[in-house]
Amino acid sequence: MITPDYVQMMARYNRWQNQAVLSAASTLSPDDRITDRGAFFGSIHATLSHLLWGDNIWMSRFDGGAAPRGGIADSSEFAPDWAGLKAARGAMDDRIIAWAKAFQPIPPETLLAWHSGALGRAVEKPLALCITHFFNHQTHHRGQVHAMLTAAGARPGDTDLFIMPEAA
């Protein structure tokens, strides 16, 4: 069962980790951030842009806000400039925190229905699965960014959930 405590903890973890990778990435040159490093979306910047797009699409399903334009193929260009990406990331993390604070317990049988652009059809899945996927997707792509940052000489910091500061 997905609980409010779990959602709030993962929202805090998301913000803490996003701040860490953005801080580390900001120590690199713009060219270093856009260099193709062989990850699925290529560069540090493109992967962070995709992650922001993905958070936008999932949050639109969770809180009813506007969905971003474009699909997965366009997501690496969702936030094309660094300053805009950082500002939009902070705003998205605030939105996720606000959603998490308002989150109420859900029965296991609660379903979420949406049209999946990736699959090209309507989808209906348990909301708990979708929420778990949302946080897992963030961790997956931040892991890619963490590896690219480390390879580029930046120091993104600890990622262990149990190390997260209480104030994160």
Side-chain angles (χ1 to χ4, degrees):
M1 176 191 226
I2 299 293
T3 67
D5 286 345
Y6 170 78
V7 171
Q8 291 166 20
M9 176 185 63
M10 293 307 294
R12 285 181 32 247
Y13 179 77
N14 171 65
R15 178 172 54 194
W16 175 53
Q17 287 301 296
N18 285 333
Q19 289 170 343
V21 297
L22 288 174
S23 179
S26 291
T27 68
L28 301 175
S29 72
D31 285 344
D32 285 337
R33 287 192 298 267
I34 63 169
T35 296
D36 188 329
R37 298 181 183 277
F40 188 82
F41 291 98
S43 71
I44 292 165
H45 186 114
T47 303
L48 290 171
S49 179
H50 164 75
L51 181 53
L52 178 62
W53 178 88
D55 284 357
N56 268 274
I57 197 85
W58 280 106
M59 284 305 298
S60 73
R61 295 168 184 157
F62 297 154
D63 71 6
R69 295 182 186 264
I72 293 171
D74 309 313
S75 65
S76 62
E77 297 295 323
F78 180 67
D81 72 276
W82 186 243
L85 187 150
K86 291 193 315 182
R89 178 74 263 168
M92 176 51 62
D93 291 345
D94 289 346
R95 180 177 169 190
I96 294 168
I97 293 286
W99 166 76
K101 285 181 178 177
F103 188 80
Q104 297 295 312
I106 56 169
E109 66 274 8
T110 303
L111 298 175
L112 179 67
W114 74 96
H115 178 83
S116 169
L119 297 176
R121 62 178 171 82
V123 175
E124 187 174 75
K125 296 288 180 184
L127 179 57
L129 176 101
C130 296
I131 292 168
T132 302
H133 168 75
F134 172 64
F135 291 122
N136 189 60
H137 181 258
Q138 294 167 343
T139 300
H140 166 70
H141 286 300
R142 271 195 312 268
Q144 292 175 322
V145 171
H146 194 282
M148 289 187 279
L149 287 167
T150 302
R155 301 274 181 231
D158 292 321
T159 61
D160 295 314
L161 185 57
F162 73 90
I163 296 173
M164 178 174 57
E166 289 297 320

